[in-house]
Every structure is written in structure tokens, then in C-alpha cells.
Amino acid sequence: MVYDDAMQVVWDETNVIISTVNDMLSAKKEIAQSQVDTLIPLLVVRLGSVQAAVDYATDTVRSSIQRLEAAEKDMLSRYEADPKVQDIQRYIDGCKVACTANLKWSLTSGRYGISRESMAGGISITL
């Protein structure tokens, strides 16, 4: 596998996306269990409201997706003639699948009390 700064960006942003989405979706359960050392409760203290915390976390995910996609585009264009480009694409695809699989599992598993098959129409979680 090729080491590249853009590959590290893909890895780092994958972790930010998974961690932030998990903390957003698990907030109600964790607050109910007095686990207030996770992202949303900590952001509430810093930003002053639950909505501001959720908005900030949402923006974090959105920005991470943009950075991941920019790194993907950069890497694939620079390595398009390299025989390892398929391996690079496979790595990136795996990272993206990890993000969507984490989201789907979080929505459907019932672990966080959401139990949704789709995000169509959005998700409403009352804390």
C-alpha cells in the first residue's frame, strides 16, 4: 500500500465521522446513564445549548466528509497511472463503508433507542 499524506487524511476523517456520528446518536442514552463526558454534553457546556452542540457536531461531520472526499480526489488523480490505484480505491471505499455501516448499525440496532431503517425525513431525538 502507498503511504501518502492524503491517505492519512482519509483515515483521520473516517475516525472523526464515525466517532462524531456515534456520539450524536448515543447522546440521549448516555445522558440518561449520566455519561456526560462524551461529545454532545461537553459541547453543551462550551456552546451553551444542546442545539448549538448538535449543530457543531453536524458541521464537524459535514466538514470531515468534504476533507475525505477532497483527499480521495487528490490521491486518485495523482496515482491514476499507478498499478496500485485499485488498492487505494479499495482502501478509500472501505473507509466510506465503515462510516455508513456504523451509521446504519446505530440506526437499526436499537442500541440507542432509534430503531430506524432510513434517515429519510431526518431523525428527531428528544433529550
Side-chain angles (χ1 to χ4, degrees):
M1 184 62 73
V2 176
Y3 179 81
D4 188 288
D5 288 341
M7 186 169 284
Q8 187 65 49
V9 169
V10 170
W11 178 256
D12 291 344
E13 299 308 334
T14 297
N15 283 301
V16 169
I17 293 164
I18 290 171
S19 298
T20 305
V21 167
N22 182 70
D23 279 6
M24 290 170 63
L25 295 176
S26 66
K28 182 175 183 171
K29 175 187 176 203
E30 290 170 350
I31 291 168
Q33 295 175 348
S34 297
Q35 295 176 349
V36 294
D37 58 348
T38 59
L39 182 64
I40 299 302
L42 293 172
L43 285 173
V44 168
V45 171
R46 182 172 148 213
L47 301 174
S49 76
V50 173
Q51 190 59 57
V54 171
D55 291 346
Y56 185 91
T58 300
D59 289 342
T60 297
V61 172
R62 188 176 293 117
S63 296
S64 287
I65 291 168
Q66 291 170 349
R67 287 188 297 272
L68 188 153
E69 289 175 343
E72 173 185 29
K73 183 178 177 182
D74 170 55
M75 217 172 4
L76 293 178
S77 69
R78 287 187 293 110
Y79 291 102
E80 66 184 338
D82 190 309
K84 294 183 180 180
V85 72
Q86 290 178 337
D87 292 336
I88 294 167
Q89 184 66 66
R90 198 171 298 122
Y91 168 79
I92 295 166
D93 290 345
C95 288
K96 289 179 171 182
V97 166
C99 292
T100 56
N102 175 69
L103 175 61
K104 180 157 180 63
W105 179 84
S106 296
L107 291 174
T108 61
S109 71
R111 178 177 182 192
Y112 302 133
I114 300 170
S115 300
R116 300 267 318 253
E117 291 296 322
S118 167
M119 286 189 58
I123 295 173
S124 178
I125 301 172
T126 304
L127 299 179

